[in-house]
């Protein structure tokens, strides 16, 4: 009788151990392929248009660029762009006084007012087609 109880409890422990391993493997796979449950909602937006006459950064005056005001850490900036979406390495952030100028492939695109360039990185910028 004791052997029967011992073998039954060992079988239950083995089954539970296998099921827990499967559960942990599924959870690990979910975290590796994690996607947000909700799409990020942009809080700021601006429209970009290609300026064929602008060949250098100095050619475009700061007053001619669209401005984003009230940017805070954690915000997402959504930009409507005509043409192909630029890669993350094509985005540069330049500190200009209290503001930051966003350069896309070397061309000035937008000014983010009253923020520091260290707060901005390519993951903050989202693009959509115009």
């Amino acid at each position: 009788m004791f052997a029967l109880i011992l073998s039954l409890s060992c079988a239950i422990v083995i089954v539970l151990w296998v099921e827990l391993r499967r559960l942990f493997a599924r959870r690990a796979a979910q975290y590796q392929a994690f996607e947000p449950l909700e799409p990020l909602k942009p809080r700021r937006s601006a429209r970009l248009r290609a300026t064929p006459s602008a060949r250098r950064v100095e050619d475009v005056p700061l007053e001619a660029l669209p401005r984003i005001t009230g940017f805070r850490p954690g915000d997402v900036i959504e930009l409507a762009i005509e043409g192909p979406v630029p890669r993350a390495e094509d985005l540069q952030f330049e500190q200009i006084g209290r503001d930051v100028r966003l350069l896309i492939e070397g061309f000035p695109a937008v000014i983010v007012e009253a923020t520091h360039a260290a707060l901005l990185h390519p993951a903050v910028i989202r693009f959509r087609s115009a």
Side-chain angles (χ1 to χ4, degrees), residues 42-59:
R43 295 186 185 178
R44 312 284 178 256
S45 64
R47 184 180 260 323
L48 299 179
R49 286 196 173 83
T51 319
S53 62
R55 297 286 181 224
R56 297 180 315 215
V57 174
E58 297 82 24
D59 291 344

Side-chain angles (χ1 to χ4, degrees), residues 1-115:
M1 188 68 174
F2 176 72
L4 180 64
I5 293 174
L6 184 62
S7 62
L8 183 60
S9 42
C10 286
I12 290 173
V13 167
I14 290 172
V15 167
L16 287 175
W17 180 68
V18 169
E19 288 300 318
L20 284 176
R21 284 192 55 177
R22 285 185 192 164
L23 176 68
F24 289 140
R26 261 186 275 139
R27 292 264 171 109
Q30 285 176 351
Y31 286 120
Q32 288 173 355
F34 174 76
E35 292 182 17
L37 297 176
E38 298 177 353
L40 296 173
K41 296 178 183 177
R43 295 186 185 178
R44 312 284 178 256
S45 64
R47 184 180 260 323
L48 299 179
R49 286 196 173 83
T51 319
S53 62
R55 297 286 181 224
R56 297 180 315 215
V57 174
E58 297 82 24
D59 291 344
V60 179
L62 294 177
E63 297 79 31
L65 295 174
R67 295 184 172 268
I68 296 174
T69 58
F71 178 81
R72 295 174 309 212
D75 286 355
V76 175
I77 300 172
E78 184 178 88
L79 301 173
I81 189 167
E82 297 172 357
V85 175
R87 299 173 302 175
E89 51 268 5
D90 294 335
L91 303 177
Q92 297 173 349
F93 301 97
E94 242 179 32
Q95 190 73 42
I96 302 174
R98 293 186 57 222
D99 303 334
V100 175
R101 176 172 46 193
L102 169 64
L103 302 173
I104 299 177
E105 295 178 355
F107 297 104
V110 72
I111 299 286
V112 182
E113 293 182 342
T115 191

